[in-house]
Amino acid sequence: MTEPGARGVSADYAARREEHLRAAHSLGRVDRGIGAARVVCFIAIVIAAAAIISRDAPRTGGIVAAVAVIALVALIAWHSGIRDRLRLERTRARNCELGAHRAAREWDALPPAASLTHPHDHAFADDLNVTGDYSLIRLIPSVTAAARAVLGEWLLAETPPPIATIAARQRAIQQLAPAHEWREQLAAHANDVRADAASIDELLAWAEGDGWLSQRPALRWTARILTVATLLSIAGAIANLIPVLVVVLLIAANIVLSAALRRRLEEALTASIGQSGRLTGYARLFRHAQQAPRENEELRTLLDRTGGIGSADALAALDRLARFGEVRYSPMAHVALQVLVLWDFHVIAGLEGWRRRHGGSLRRWLVALAALEALAALATLAYENPDWTYPALTGDTPARLDGSGLGHPLLAPDVRVANDLAIGEPQPILLVTGSNMAGKTTLLRAIGLNVVLANAGAPVCAAELRLTRMRVRTSINANDAPERGLSLYMAELLRVRSIVEAAHDAADCPLLYLGDELLRGTNAVDRRAALVLILRHLVHTTAIGVIATHDPEMARDAELAPHVRPVHLVEQFRDEAEGSTMWFDYKLRPGLASSSNAIKLLELVGLNETTLAALEAGDQTH
């Protein structure tokens, strides 16, 4: 874990951010120029129209008006593309800025953590800071809601996937990590997608549902015939070939048909038209995804499942249809179109035609794209932490975890302290002792978070890590829950029971348990007796564990001692002019801790015998 690696990433991000800002500045000038040209075209059209109306120069006015209209249409189309590129460059500049903040662990500069829901009794999520403000998920760049759900499944999985799946993810992440240009653009396009999980579920329900109009061919043909007849009758009436009464009767028929089926038309349109705009973002995201590196078999399989360029074209077409449906939100235009051509019927027919062709594939496309996004996000995590490594997972029994240079993933590289450790037979319990603030809890979380990353297929914060594929259970930060009638001691007991039950669970992989000051909700004598009893039991299972405690006497239990590998963390004090100061090096040492610092900490915060006596004397005078 060397600082230059993180500095190099930050410098690279800073350079690329400047490139994107320069590109955005140039595009901004073009954007303003096109805007001015559009105003000129509009003014030219107004002047030409005035010339035509006044008959001063109708021919010249007609030519100018035609040229100005054509130019305006071309400028509008060009302007749209320029604004898309401008937004993309600005987004990429912002993402580079956030990437530098993530690499340096500048938490205050990062956006709020993404929401990952999990049950209150999850095996490890809260204890290991997988979610929350200061969490692993906050170190992973933003993705669409669907990809965030995939990351949640991978990072919060209480049973890890098979080793073959983990290895496949590792290979894909290694392939994507150097492709920073592709990853940056993918993340920028993902920022344009505004669809949340609920709206995607609505879209999928519509895509996989039954068509309303397609099941009524007579109604569909009636709408087509009425539309053609109405348009022909209007043309005939203008040419004085058909009585106006025929037009009136046909329009009346359109009105009656629309009024009779108004509710069904609204229901048929609602599920899809709300996705307009979001679908444009998805179309761009799918189109860009096809440019991913294809040297890796796992990536090729995922890209095939996204549907290729065809899925991007299909989603763009669905977006156009949805926009046609949104005409109903412009009442005057919608009424005119509905009365004249039965607009909603034809939009629904188009949407249901799309559903017949592509509706059955949409879920597969979105699932594959979400997995590709999740891999790209973890590849960005790997890129931003170049000193991390990919762990070697095995199916070995009994379970083992051997790490060198293992550190806490959430700590900045310049303050992170790495340790070497080994957990497994013949000593399946690593007993960590040490004073307050020495780093015991941080060590537990470092071990747990790295196992979580390993199980997800991601790189880990270590120089080298070899471990058995294993589940994780923790009891680090248990709290009372009055709303559920739980005292602190009972909350801890429930966490410990979950560890014991998981150790006996007939799962396909062993358990790693992590406990910090277990059963602290009771007195020291009972706590030691209960904890020794539990650990004596656990050593006869396939589980391995790390226990942090202030009580070294547990390691001296005759039955437990052969199964325990004691290590400790120490504090040191310096006498300086301002007084005594305490510092820690956070390095693991073999054996049990031989010192404590509770009384010294009291003195450091001013609660020594002198100050306490002075406070007592002051109370007596009052």
Side-chain angles (χ1 to χ4, degrees), residues 49-74:
I52 294 170
I53 293 170
S54 65
R55 299 189 177 182
D56 290 339
R59 184 175 179 182
T60 303
I63 293 172
V64 171
V67 171
V69 167
I70 292 171
L72 183 59
V73 171

Side-chain angles (χ1 to χ4, degrees), residues 132 271 352 413 450 522 565 615:
E352 292 186 356
N450 279 301
T522 188
R565 178 171 173 248
L615 288 171

Side-chain angles (χ1 to χ4, degrees), residues 71-85:
L72 183 59
V73 171
L75 285 170
I76 290 172
W78 185 22
H79 208 181
S80 176
I82 290 295
R83 284 182 169 175
D84 285 343
R85 289 172 57 194

Side-chain angles (χ1 to χ4, degrees), residues 399-460:
R400 282 202 65 82
L401 186 152
D402 295 284
S404 62
L406 185 141
H408 197 304
L410 305 187
L411 293 177
D414 56 344
V415 299
R416 182 188 302 139
V417 175
N419 279 290
D420 300 340
L421 51 86
I423 313 168
E425 293 293 348
Q427 295 169 312
I429 299 176
L430 186 71
L431 187 70
V432 185
T433 55
S435 303
N436 297 290
M437 301 170 58
K440 300 186 298 298
T441 305
T442 299
L443 176 68
L444 293 182
R445 288 188 170 128
I447 295 168
L449 272 177
N450 279 301
V451 175
V452 168
L453 285 166
N455 286 342
V460 296

Side-chain angles (χ1 to χ4, degrees), residues 101-126:
H101 291 318
R102 287 193 300 267
R105 304 303 191 268
E106 294 169 347
W107 297 97
D108 292 342
L110 295 176
S115 174
L116 288 182
T117 58
H118 58 81
H120 65 83
D121 59 348
H122 188 274
F124 55 79
D126 292 329

Side-chain angles (χ1 to χ4, degrees), residues 302 342 483 498 520 576:
L302 267 183
L342 295 171
E483 73 281 3
S498 73
R520 62 186 184 277
E576 300 178 352

